[in-house]
Amino acid sequence: MIKKIRKKKKRRKFKNPSVNQIPGKMVYVGEKSTQEKAIEVFEYNKDMLEFQKFTATEEVLDYRNTPHTTWIDFVGLTHTNDIEILGKHFGLHPLLLEDVVNTRQRPKIEVYDDYVFISVKMLYYDNGNSLVKEHISLAFGHNFVLSFQESESEVFDGIRERLKNKTGRLRTFKSDYLAYALLDAIVDNYFEVVEHIAERVEKLEDLLFLEQSQENIAQDIQKAKREIIRIRKATFPIKEVIVHLENENHKLIEKRTKSYIRDLHDHAIQVAENIDIYREMTWGLMDMYMSTISNKMNEVMKVLTIMASIFIPLTFIAGIYGMNFDYMPELQLKYGYFYVWGLMLLVFFGLLWYFKRKKWL
Amino acid sequence: MIKKIRKKKKRRKFKNPSVNQIPGKMVYVGEKSTQEKAIEVFEYNKDMLEFQKFTATEEVLDYRNTPHTTWIDFVGLTHTNDIEILGKHFGLHPLLLEDVVNTRQRPKIEVYDDYVFISVKMLYYDNGNSLVKEHISLAFGHNFVLSFQESESEVFDGIRERLKNKTGRLRTFKSDYLAYALLDAIVDNYFEVVEHIAERVEKLEDLLFLEQSQENIAQDIQKAKREIIRIRKATFPIKEVIVHLENENHKLIEKRTKSYIRDLHDHAIQVAENIDIYREMTWGLMDMYMSTISNKMNEVMKVLTIMASIFIPLTFIAGIYGMNFDYMPELQLKYGYFYVWGLMLLVFFGLLWYFKRKKWL
Amino acid sequence: MIKKIRKKKKRRKFKNPSVNQIPGKMVYVGEKSTQEKAIEVFEYNKDMLEFQKFTATEEVLDYRNTPHTTWIDFVGLTHTNDIEILGKHFGLHPLLLEDVVNTRQRPKIEVYDDYVFISVKMLYYDNGNSLVKEHISLAFGHNFVLSFQESESEVFDGIRERLKNKTGRLRTFKSDYLAYALLDAIVDNYFEVVEHIAERVEKLEDLLFLEQSQENIAQDIQKAKREIIRIRKATFPIKEVIVHLENENHKLIEKRTKSYIRDLHDHAIQVAENIDIYREMTWGLMDMYMSTISNKMNEVMKVLTIMASIFIPLTFIAGIYGMNFDYMPELQLKYGYFYVWGLMLLVFFGLLWYFKRKKWL
Amino acid sequence: MIKKIRKKKKRRKFKNPSVNQIPGKMVYVGEKSTQEKAIEVFEYNKDMLEFQKFTATEEVLDYRNTPHTTWIDFVGLTHTNDIEILGKHFGLHPLLLEDVVNTRQRPKIEVYDDYVFISVKMLYYDNGNSLVKEHISLAFGHNFVLSFQESESEVFDGIRERLKNKTGRLRTFKSDYLAYALLDAIVDNYFEVVEHIAERVEKLEDLLFLEQSQENIAQDIQKAKREIIRIRKATFPIKEVIVHLENENHKLIEKRTKSYIRDLHDHAIQVAENIDIYREMTWGLMDMYMSTISNKMNEVMKVLTIMASIFIPLTFIAGIYGMNFDYMPELQLKYGYFYVWGLMLLVFFGLLWYFKRKKWL
Amino acid sequence: MIKKIRKKKKRRKFKNPSVNQIPGKMVYVGEKSTQEKAIEVFEYNKDMLEFQKFTATEEVLDYRNTPHTTWIDFVGLTHTNDIEILGKHFGLHPLLLEDVVNTRQRPKIEVYDDYVFISVKMLYYDNGNSLVKEHISLAFGHNFVLSFQESESEVFDGIRERLKNKTGRLRTFKSDYLAYALLDAIVDNYFEVVEHIAERVEKLEDLLFLEQSQENIAQDIQKAKREIIRIRKATFPIKEVIVHLENENHKLIEKRTKSYIRDLHDHAIQVAENIDIYREMTWGLMDMYMSTISNKMNEVMKVLTIMASIFIPLTFIAGIYGMNFDYMPELQLKYGYFYVWGLMLLVFFGLLWYFKRKKWL
Ligand SMILES: [Mg+2]
Ligand SMILES: [Mg+2]
Ligand SMILES: [Mg+2]
Ligand SMILES: [Mg+2]
Ligand SMILES: [Mg+2]
Ligand SMILES: [Mg+2]
Ligand SMILES: [Mg+2]
Ligand SMILES: [Mg+2]
Ligand SMILES: [Mg+2]
Ligand SMILES: [Mg+2]
Ligand SMILES: [Mg+2]
Ligand SMILES: [Mg+2]
Ligand SMILES: [Mg+2]
Ligand SMILES: [Mg+2]
Ligand SMILES: [Mg+2]
Ligand SMILES: [Mg+2]
Ligand SMILES: [Mg+2]
Ligand SMILES: [Mg+2]
Ligand SMILES: [Mg+2]
Ligand SMILES: [Mg+2]
Ligand SMILES: [Mg+2]
Ligand SMILES: [Mg+2]
Ligand SMILES: [Mg+2]
Ligand SMILES: [Mg+2]
Ligand SMILES: [Mg+2]
Ligand SMILES: [Mg+2]
Ligand SMILES: [Mg+2]
Ligand SMILES: [Mg+2]
Ligand SMILES: [Mg+2]
Ligand SMILES: [Mg+2]
Ligand SMILES: [Mg+2]
């Protein structure tokens, strides 16, 4: 166990890389993953769709000048050089490129004349049921959308599918709608995460209601608290991002897209409200757990009190007649022994009756 | 009991249907109910009232063009196709139709050029005394009001009655007033729900004041907390909806209706204030319950302490004279046995007096 | 005791009268009192004062057209017909008349072109020291002030007195100042209520400081909490009402009255601040009570531990020499019995010294 | 002790004097002090300073018309007549004069065309280390500053000193700067009060860290809470007062004075922040105290458990061989007595080892 | 230990130096350090860099008129005379110079026509792992930046390095960017401090999860609380400072610098969010610690109850047959002794089974 503590300490011992760095210097701060670089390009309009995978960043630069909408999905934030080349080619500010690779960056939106930059967190539970938090950045300009992810995930699969569907809305709208659709897929996934935490909190509550001997439930409650705090931190700022997008009068954002962004705003509020509800419930669980412990202690004390209160006086009576005085008249009575038994039974049932009346039995 | 936990888990296991869906795709997310589709139409003005029930959606579409105010009340949110046909015919945005059938949608208002859309929660306690939360949507435009409900309820019965009354205000006002009246009926019902929770909280408080052995009261408090949290979530957003309606300068909303909306605003604030008062009181109950448990434990400990403190020393004295030493002068005293009894009574009453003075007896 | 709970339940069982009612329909919702209707009229200006009591509402209607300021004080909110006649004659909106008789209406102000309507709560402690909350409504227009009260109280006696005083400010100002004066009398009374709750909280604190055996103090704290919550709910909204009045540029409100309203605003803030201070203190009392219980339990446990820890080992020693082995050398020692007494005294004083060092004695 | 409670009750029984009073009627509400009236006048400009003490209010009225700045410092709020004469002569509104003598008035600022009125609280610890709260009012107009205090204090001594210094800023600025300087002296004193409460909270924390038997520490924490609540109430509103002064564009407030008021604003925020920090720490102390009590109880219980668990089984063994059965083979063994001792030592050390392993010893 | 308390008391006993002082009078309020005065000057533009150290303040005054950007870094806030000379020469307002040396000054920004003044806190952990809080002030005007520090620290080493780098952004931007870079270095260091506190809180949580006998963990939690409160107070106001800087349209702040300030704003928010997360977690730890103590007490009580409940009845049985009645038939039974052993084993295993069923074993 002590080891576990040490390991945790070590995990944090690496020097925070952003200290003493020039602003705009791109530094990847997450765990060094071995994620291969992967670039997917979707080129589409109402009438056509072209899909291709690349590994060399230089090969996708020409997509900037195509007349159709282009979605370049870049996976692998450790490849800072490639991101720099790609970002500069599409005109992104160096400080934004720093934000793309800084996995600790909080969700935000930055509106420039020619493009809009959005950075958010993608959340999901992996197979081992532990929460994964991924840093995702989007930039959309005239005819292009760039997306930067830490690793390949299934969150955008639905959008890939819908792009292939000729009659869908995605192909008839512009880059602003694709950016909206990507954000929408991320927020939809937040609902999954909320469901997961809801199940967990309700299970903890059920366990407390059973009042069985679960001593480590305090830990589970504390862990749930911690996870809810983490989820809250990752998801709450997206509301501001979406509100900003909703109120922005940018040439890139079409009027018909605004209704969809308003709808997304709605979803973001709903996620936030649900998280706060489970947060409040989890806080209450600790109070309830304390009352459960106290009730158990009460039960333990009652058993002790009943046993001791009944047998200590009886033992005293037996002790009396175990004394060795030369002259103890009761000892010579013929039925003295039986009289004493009678007295003891009287005391025994008297105390039982007393405890019954107190509802301790 | 373990089963109960598993079942709950299963209940949530269905895939959240809104993930990976196209925005505007109508997906009913509540429990699959067997509610039959039911359509009621009220056609009225100052001078006439026509009431009819339908089962086929197509039959009501012509009401759009009648010169009188028409209220179409559609029951059965699982019938998404019918809702789509009806909604499109009356010109509702696809995203709104998605909200009509999404029972998890939070209360909101959307103002379009030709109509106003409102989505809220209807709350009531059913016969089994469990809280029912129903998703209700309203849309009112020139000469029409649409309402969409999950199932038939009695909440709007009063309005049906008043429509039949020729001299009432309802028939002389337009669609905006009917929409107000429907919201008013819903908010009036919130007061009923608040009364119900008030009774429950006060009953819990009374039980705590009796200080009897109610070990599961912590659960009841936690359940009341949870229910208050749910009610709060369902009712609070209606304030924003009504404020928005109050401040809206829409051609559909007549000036004379504004006073009524302001009155409704008042009621919504009152509901919210009352909920928060019972919320605060419920939170305090847990603290009070903890003090009750601690007081009980104090009582148990006192009994134990009194019994043990009195009889352990007496038993010790008896033990002394139960020793088998060859030479123990007291044993041979003629009245030794009675002297010891005297000593024991002295100890007994001395300790009784001590505990009395400490007010433990 | 169980009966008490049932009764409370019954008290709330009456159907909430505002459900399924037409808006503007006047429904008295308080307890059915037997309060007789009583109407007092003060007609005054700088030079004259005329005072008269009436029982028939119709007789006071003509006062609307007198050239002097008229104060009509109507007592008895169950008389909804009379209030309707009076209100309509003075031009009040039907929704306001509903608010006049709805004793659950929260404090509010409504400004119309020709009059200003204010509804607040009057609070005082009755002879039996229980808090009385009364619903009061005021409406002032050109040359008239209407006031509607649940029952006769002494709160406005000071104003009646001052009206009779020819040189006072009241007679030289208009209806706006009289309305201010009535509000001022109500707010002044709030200070009395705050004093009362302050005394109570400080008495509870003193009782806790004495640390005597008061087991029902938790109930008293909870009751104080509940009362503070009620007072807060009744008094806080008056701040908004007064701020609204202060900022209103209405032809009825003279500039010279504004200074007085600002002063009233000051008082309302002071009431609110004081309530919150006693609220915070009361919340802290529960924590302190818990520490008191725990300290008492500590004391109980110490007595038990000392008694048991001292006499159980001694009893064991006595038990040793109560054994019946054929060969126990100590038993035959001449002074064996006294040696054992020596050993016991050693153990006894050793343990006493140990507990003294631990400061348990 | 009971007496103390009664006395407190009595202290509050005096009728709140502001009830049923005409607004603007001056009523002193503090304790009836025997403070003599004292009037000090400073008449100064860049080149001259004249200082004089008066006892008759009429003698200072002429200072209104002197061409230099005049500071009239009036001590003794019970002398309402003198304050009324002085206030009226300098043109103060009657409601302000009411505020001057109402020691319960919360801090506020009122800006009139010809003067600015400020009312705040002066706080300091007296010799007996109890907190003194004094009501102070300032009014500054063209060429004059009036100050009204409850009793003579040392807080303004520094300013009197600086006035005598010809080269100081005070003599070259106008009445606005003198008013600022008086407020600054008051706020500087708040820092002293914060230091005092800081010391006290830190001492309580140290006592808790020592974990010694201090049973009345809960009372000390509660008292510290109460004092912090009082200080907070007295000092927080001064922020609003200063912000108002800072934003006011009044002919009386020179631009060069504004920087000083901004600096004062800074200090007021700092005071408020520090109070809230000590407030939060004090609230945490109660939680820590509870954990201290629980730890002590744990220790008590361990001693009991160890003593009882060790000696009760041993006593049972001794009891076995104290039985008087005719046939008990062990009793006749030659070394039976010693075998039993062996068994007892085994049990004794076995249990010791068990408790050691559990880390209870 | 008592000594430690006294020392703390003494530490605060020095008279607060700002009381009774003229505003703008420079008074150093920190601990009297022996820090030598040290002045470093960087003179640079795109093409040149000149670096020099000085000890006499007079020697650096001429740098005001050089055509290049000059950074004068002054170390040693006790040298108030030098700071006054330097500050006056560069035109700083006397109140700002007071703020430079007042180490208790809260973070703030003041914008004057010719320069911008910023005062913040630098935080770092020293070698002994205790938190160091340093007061730092910056002033930047046309072609100059002044910085005033308490003592030499490594926080600005990175900036010194980057200044020497000809191609870096620092040399091509003006004084506003250098000021930004200094603030950025300070905020980057806050991340280090947050990491440190994060490690500590997580270590405390791990210790609680191990549930070992750490009685002083309550103290560690309280100390962590106190440190988080201190860090919060020092770091939160920097957000306001940066927001003010971001929104300021001052001739000194170039448009290209604004993006960098916005980025800094982002970092400040992130620091604040992280601090609040660890604050919330720390507050929860106390609740968890209480549950740990209660669980331990439960375990202790169970051991006592099991031991006492098993052996007290057995001892009673032994006591029965230790009585000395003349006629006790069981005593004469041949196998009476063994029958009694049988009975005792029955009781023993019966109780063991009972406690097992209750899951206490
Ligand atoms: Mg909590
Ligand atoms: Mg809590
Ligand atoms: Mg809580
Ligand atoms: Mg809690
Ligand atoms: Mg709590
Ligand atoms: Mg709670
Ligand atoms: Mg609470
Ligand atoms: Mg509480
Ligand atoms: Mg609470
Ligand atoms: Mg609590
Ligand atoms: Mg609580
Ligand atoms: Mg509390
Ligand atoms: Mg609380
Ligand atoms: Mg609290
Ligand atoms: Mg508290
Ligand atoms: Mg508490
Ligand atoms: Mg509490
Ligand atoms: Mg609490
Ligand atoms: Mg607390
Ligand atoms: Mg608290
Ligand atoms: Mg707290
Ligand atoms: Mg706390
Ligand atoms: Mg607390
Ligand atoms: Mg607490
Ligand atoms: Mg807390
Ligand atoms: Mg807490
Ligand atoms: Mg908490
Ligand atoms: Mg907590
Ligand atoms: Mg808590
Ligand atoms: Mg707490
Ligand atoms: Mg707690």
Side-chain angles (χ1 to χ4, degrees), chain E residues 43-108:
Chain E
E43 171 89 9
Y44 66 88
N45 68 5
K46 209 166 63 217
D47 302 311
M48 56 79 79
L49 173 79
E50 194 194 304
F51 167 65
Q52 219 174 330
K53 293 193 180 199
F54 296 90
T55 49
T57 306
E58 288 73 15
E59 294 174 308
V60 304
L61 299 181
D62 284 346
Y63 279 103
R64 174 138 204 208
N65 306 313
T66 59
H68 315 307
T69 309
T70 310
W71 172 24
I72 300 177
D73 185 33
F74 187 98
V75 175
L77 300 188
T78 51
H79 303 270
T80 51
N81 284 338
D82 297 88
I83 292 169
E84 195 167 9
I85 292 165
L86 190 58
K88 278 192 173 163
H89 183 75
F90 279 85
L92 303 188
H93 194 284
L95 284 168
L96 297 183
L97 294 177
E98 192 187 6
D99 296 337
V100 164
V101 299
N102 176 6
T103 59
R104 295 193 194 157
Q105 174 61 42
R106 70 187 294 273
K108 72 163 182 181

Side-chain angles (χ1 to χ4, degrees), chain A residues 287, chain C residues 287, chain D residues 283-284 286-287, chain E residues 225 283 286-287:
Chain A
D287 286 341
Chain C
D287 287 341
Chain D
W283 258 248
M286 202 50 140
D287 286 341
Chain E
K225 274 189 187 179
W283 257 249
M286 201 52 141
D287 286 340

Side-chain angles (χ1 to χ4, degrees), chain E residues 142-284:
Chain E
H142 180 64
N143 271 348
F144 73 88
V145 175
L146 302 180
S147 62
F148 301 92
Q149 307 186 47
E150 277 185 77
S151 58
E152 295 189 51
S153 72
E154 301 167 6
V155 174
F156 292 154
D157 283 359
I159 290 169
R160 288 185 189 97
E161 216 54 51
R162 277 152 57 198
L163 274 177
K164 291 169 190 162
N165 178 355
K166 196 183 159 168
T167 61
R169 208 179 291 114
L170 256 179
R171 294 256 294 267
T172 60
F173 279 58
K174 300 245 171 80
S175 65
D176 57 338
Y177 188 83
L178 178 59
Y180 148 75
L182 294 169
L183 282 176
D184 185 54
I186 289 164
V187 172
D188 278 351
N189 240 55
Y190 289 171
F191 282 104
E192 299 284 286
V193 168
V194 170
E195 287 288 303
H196 195 279
I197 204 79
E199 261 180 53
R200 202 157 133 197
V201 171
E202 283 168 13
K203 211 170 125 192
L204 281 170
E205 201 174 44
D206 286 336
L207 280 172
L208 279 172
F209 281 4
L210 291 176
E211 286 200 38
Q212 271 175 0
S213 178
Q214 262 105 0
E215 292 192 4
N216 54 352
I217 210 172
Q219 289 189 21
D220 292 339
I221 295 171
Q222 180 71 6
K223 280 176 192 162
K225 274 189 187 179
R226 208 164 46 180
E227 194 141 319
I228 289 171
I229 290 172
R230 281 182 69 201
I231 293 172
R232 216 171 170 257
K233 189 190 161 194
T235 58
F236 266 52
I238 212 172
K239 267 196 300 184
E240 291 168 46
V241 169
I242 294 170
V243 168
H244 194 140
L245 205 60
E246 197 179 335
N247 297 332
E248 188 61 49
N249 287 317
H250 198 284
K251 63 183 183 211
L252 284 168
I253 306 172
E254 297 185 312
K255 206 189 158 222
R256 58 180 178 171
T257 310
K258 281 289 176 82
S259 301
Y260 294 91
I261 297 172
R262 198 155 63 232
D263 190 59
L264 186 56
H265 183 188
D266 238 47
H267 293 183
I269 292 174
Q270 198 156 340
V271 166
E273 278 184 353
N274 280 317
I275 289 170
D276 273 344
I277 279 168
Y278 287 103
R279 187 168 167 253
E280 194 170 354
M281 278 172 66
T282 312
W283 257 249

Side-chain angles (χ1 to χ4, degrees), chain A residues 176-316:
Chain A
D176 57 337
Y177 188 83
L178 178 60
Y180 149 75
L182 294 169
L183 282 177
D184 185 54
I186 289 164
V187 171
D188 278 352
N189 241 54
Y190 289 171
F191 282 104
E192 299 285 284
V193 169
V194 170
E195 286 289 304
H196 195 280
I197 204 80
E199 261 180 54
R200 202 156 133 196
V201 170
E202 284 168 13
K203 210 169 126 192
L204 281 170
E205 202 173 43
D206 286 336
L207 280 172
L208 279 172
F209 281 4
L210 291 176
E211 285 201 38
Q212 271 175 0
S213 179
Q214 262 106 358
E215 292 193 4
N216 53 352
I217 210 171
Q219 288 188 23
D220 292 339
I221 295 171
Q222 180 72 5
K223 280 175 191 161
K225 273 189 189 181
R226 207 165 47 181
E227 194 141 317
I228 290 171
I229 291 173
R230 279 181 70 200
I231 293 172
R232 217 172 169 256
K233 189 191 162 194
T235 59
F236 266 52
I238 211 172
K239 268 196 299 184
E240 291 168 47
V241 168
I242 295 169
V243 168
H244 193 139
L245 205 59
E246 198 180 334
N247 297 332
E248 188 62 49
N249 287 316
H250 198 284
K251 63 183 182 210
L252 284 168
I253 306 172
E254 296 186 311
K255 206 190 158 221
R256 58 179 178 171
T257 310
K258 280 289 176 83
S259 299
Y260 293 92
I261 297 172
R262 199 155 62 233
D263 190 60
L264 186 57
H265 183 186
D266 239 47
H267 293 183
I269 291 174
Q270 198 156 339
V271 166
E273 277 184 353
N274 280 317
I275 289 170
D276 273 344
I277 279 168
Y278 287 103
R279 186 167 169 254
E280 193 170 355
M281 279 173 63
T282 312
W283 257 248
L285 288 183
M286 201 52 140
D287 286 341
M288 208 191 147
Y289 177 56
M290 285 306 289
S291 81
T292 306
I293 299 176
S294 295
N295 270 325
K296 275 181 197 161
M297 176 128 33
N298 253 349
E299 204 197 349
V300 171
M301 291 308 304
K302 274 182 197 163
V303 168
L304 174 62
T305 300
I306 289 165
M307 293 301 277
S309 297
I310 285 176
F311 286 103
I312 286 177
L314 295 182
T315 304
F316 162 67

